[in-house]
Amino acid sequence: MNKYDDEYYIILNDYHDQTLYVDALQKSADRRYRYKKLTLGQEPLFFENGYKEEAIEKGINLPVTDVLMDGVTPIITTKLRDKIKHIDFKVMQLYPSVYIDDKDKWHENYWCMNFWEEVDYWDKEKSKLSKTSRKRLATNPNAVVIDIYKYVLDVEKLDKVPLAERLIFKIDRGMGYIFIHQSIADILMEENPTGIKLVKVSDFEEGKQF
């Protein structure tokens, strides 16, 4: 463990029996917003319940939360966005978004965290990988490793990056989680937002969030 593992949190969905899992509409998914910088001023991103048909069929009415999670990508309300909009994030922008609920009502007060760069701030020796992943990484440093179940952040790399440039970042391997610094976590959690769970890196282990 190092100081950074206690300073950073991983953003996760708040898993329970009424968790809402959102998906982008195809026209939004085609814009590759998870990896490509979008142009502000163009149309919003659109999202819906990923299990909409099933929910309607079973008469399930899931609550629309303050934070919607599209996989690992957070989509936050305007109220939360206003608390951090003054910060100049280096590899992320908050992009206008709309959630269309199961009754086709538009919720237009959302902002998607649009990342266009991933970083390798995880320690490749100390992080816990599956045996297959570790062997693949040893033979090919550029291999795509998906089986990271315990992250340890790389002290040497983070020491070289000013805090202002690493307040929030998307990791380049594993599930591609979003990591946020304690200072940003404190700002967001002041509002006790629904739909989100923050887990300190030092406490995180893949699978236990479920």
Side-chain angles (χ1 to χ4, degrees):
M1 186 186 302
N2 59 59
K3 63 176 182 178
Y4 292 119
D5 292 344
D6 278 328
E7 287 180 8
Y8 281 90
Y9 291 78
I10 297 176
I11 302 178
L12 299 172
N13 209 332
D14 185 15
Y15 296 103
H16 50 74
D17 58 0
Q18 287 197 307
T19 297
L20 181 61
Y21 301 89
V22 307
D23 278 339
L25 271 61
Q26 190 60 51
K27 66 176 182 178
S28 294
D30 289 343
R31 296 171 70 184
R32 297 183 293 171
Y33 60 91
R34 293 188 183 95
Y35 311 101
K36 179 181 178 182
K37 186 176 183 179
L38 301 180
T39 301
L40 292 173
Q42 295 183 349
E43 77 167 16
L45 294 171
F46 291 88
F47 298 89
E48 64 180 358
N49 179 1
Y51 296 93
K52 182 176 181 177
E53 292 183 6
E54 180 180 341
I56 293 174
E57 181 180 334
K58 294 183 177 180
I60 299 172
N61 186 25
L62 297 175
V64 180
T65 51
D66 300 320
V67 181
L68 304 172
M69 292 297 290
D70 171 32
V72 299
T73 302
I75 306 160
I76 66 176
T77 59
T78 297
K79 185 176 182 179
L80 292 173
R81 175 253 187 182
D82 287 349
K83 295 180 72 68
I84 59 174
K85 68 179 183 180
H86 63 284
I87 301 173
D88 181 21
F89 295 110
K90 297 303 179 182
V91 294
M92 184 275 290
Q93 66 180 351
L94 293 163
Y95 194 85
S97 301
V98 177
Y99 176 71
I100 305 174
D101 68 23
D102 296 349
K103 296 181 180 179
D104 294 327
K105 178 182 177 180
W106 284 28
H107 302 259
E108 301 181 66
N109 62 323
Y110 281 97
W111 301 77
C112 178
M113 290 189 180
N114 168 216
F115 286 83
W116 57 88
E117 184 178 316
E118 298 177 342
V119 296
D120 63 343
Y121 294 161
W122 58 287
D123 191 310
K124 297 172 180 59
E125 293 301 321
K126 296 180 181 178
S127 295
K128 295 181 180 179
L129 317 180
S130 69
K131 292 181 180 179
T132 301
S133 293
R134 187 165 290 284
K135 182 177 180 181
R136 186 163 68 246
L137 188 64
T139 56
N140 179 8
N142 295 317
V144 177
V145 179
I146 61 172
D147 300 324
I148 304 174
Y149 60 90
K150 180 71 175 175
Y151 290 90
V152 175
L153 293 173
D154 192 312
V155 175
E156 184 176 348
K157 288 182 178 179
L158 287 170
D159 278 346
K160 295 177 181 178
V161 182
L163 176 58
E165 297 179 14
R166 53 175 171 81
L167 290 171
I168 186 167
F169 54 82
K170 182 176 183 179
I171 214 74
D172 70 338
R173 302 292 171 90
M175 296 294 293
Y177 287 119
I178 310 303
F179 289 62
I180 62 172
H181 188 263
Q182 178 77 59
S183 57
I184 303 301
D186 289 344
I187 292 172
L188 293 178
M189 298 311 287
E190 282 179 355
E191 300 295 330
N192 293 315
T194 56
I196 190 177
K197 185 176 182 180
L198 301 184
V199 178
K200 192 174 289 188
V201 174
S202 59
D203 295 332
F204 178 82
E205 188 168 319
E206 186 64 64
K208 288 188 175 180
Q209 69 267 37
F210 302 110

